[in-house]
Amino acid sequence: MINNTSGLFLVLVKEERKEGGGMAVASIYRRILPSPPAIEFASSEGKRLFSEALQSGTMEGFFRLISYFQTQSEPAYCGLASLSVVLNALEIDPRRKWKGPWRWFDESMLDCCEPLKKVKAEGITFGKVACLAHCAGAKVEAFHTNQSTIDHFRNHVIKCTSSEDCHLIASYHRKPFKQTGSGHFSPIGGYHAGSDMALVLDVARFKYPPHWVPLTLLWEAMDTIDEATGCPRGFMLLSRLQKAPSLLYTLSCRHESWVSMARYLIDDVPILLKSEGLQTVPEVLNIIFKSLPANAGDFIKWVAEVRRQEEDEPRLSMEEKERLAVKEEVLQQVHETELFKFVSDFLLSARSCCANLLSSSNKELLSEIAATLCCQGAALLSGGLGVSKSFCCSETCIKCLRANGDAPMTVISGTAVSNGNKQGLDMLIPVTPGKSKSCCTFDHNNNCVVMHPTINDVLTVLLLALSPQTWMGIKDDRLLAEIQRLVSIENLPDVLEQEVLHLQRQLHFLKRCKDKELEKEFMLSSHFS
């Protein structure tokens, strides 16, 4: 998936150096696991602990995790590998292809919140891993040790290891285990009540095998202070959401502007709305939009899928058709809201007040969006993350696909060129033809006209996702009632309601992250194997 036009929530981080970081070292074949304090999983004692824990019912989560277990592919990918294991164990559909026809979570898929190139070089924070899990469609509860207790942690370990529906990832320092290295992430695969020990499924299997450790020592390892930030580590609980969002819209923490944007939406907008004299909806929109922070368009995005072109005529799989249909349904429902009409009319009459937002967004024409996606997609699919400028789009065209009497689906095909090599791509961009039953209607120049995501609907869903308390400062009772009616999600169609609830969860997560100490952590801290 490629995010386009106007994304998620957290920020960037400073490196916590590991052994061999940046310097040539002699090659190493594994490490000897310090025991005590750890007990190797495959040892006779480790097997006994496993057998007894299995009889006690606190190894239920292990079988799911071990079925999808993987070794981190890069020294700094422990967070991404841990998350991939857990997302696959929870059987969450990534809704995009990994390789060939397969949809599957892999470290390379977890790129929406932080460029992989940056993670490979600097590692990733506790907060960013939690955000990646949230963005991937999981329910996430994250706790720093100063927000929890060892008894609270033990209860969560028992709960997760006794279930297949919840898994726990720990962020800890290796030093209390007498292991080399520093900050690390790994899933917890089991619990032995008699000895109060937890099974750490170390994703750095090239270094240490899975091992049992005293839970009190694991807590001590999590309750370490990151020297770069002064903040403790912690743990997170991941489970499935009852309803997965369509993810047409998402918030972006990839761009550093999220901090100012989150502060503006959560703190500043409610104060601005207390202004005297607000009497109409356009006046409310004006006061919100005219003060948007620079690069506000990087904060919220809509999502398109990009795939390599098939050799024959492009055909959509049933899953692709279903995903695209849901996104198009969401888009259509946004356009049918009364709030969308207000936003569109306002932007049409007062675009100058939104220069910050509009200048930071990609161009709105479908052809220009397709060309941008074509280049970005070619870079992503070829493994050239972060170097999309090396690709240029030579041509794009809109194709209408219809099969077995299904409603027509629109696919935009393009050809990306890099160093003389061509790569054909299909871009599954959600479009709706309005009331027309064909793929598109035509303007007076006979150009195809379709409705696709633009800044108008992006801003509409963002307003819908704001907390209901945001508007309470409006002094005019009649205007307050009208605004509350426009932004109410109670009467939204179910699909759009789920989309807005997803954004609200992301904003709620941002609100928690906006604390000064956590903000500093997200910007400066990183974790390595």
Side-chain angles (χ1 to χ4, degrees), residues 93 103 305 316-324:
D93 187 345
R103 300 199 304 277
E305 292 187 51
L316 297 182
S317 68
M318 182 58 68
E319 291 85 0
E320 287 171 328
K321 284 193 281 188
E322 289 175 353
R323 291 197 303 276
L324 195 52

Side-chain angles (χ1 to χ4, degrees), residues 50 54 58-69 89 161 163-164 167 189 201:
F50 172 81
L54 184 63
T58 50
M59 293 298 299
E60 294 303 308
F62 169 82
F63 296 98
R64 286 284 182 183
L65 291 171
I66 209 66
S67 295
Y68 301 100
F69 199 68
T161 56
S163 169
E164 296 182 345
H167 299 292
L201 297 179

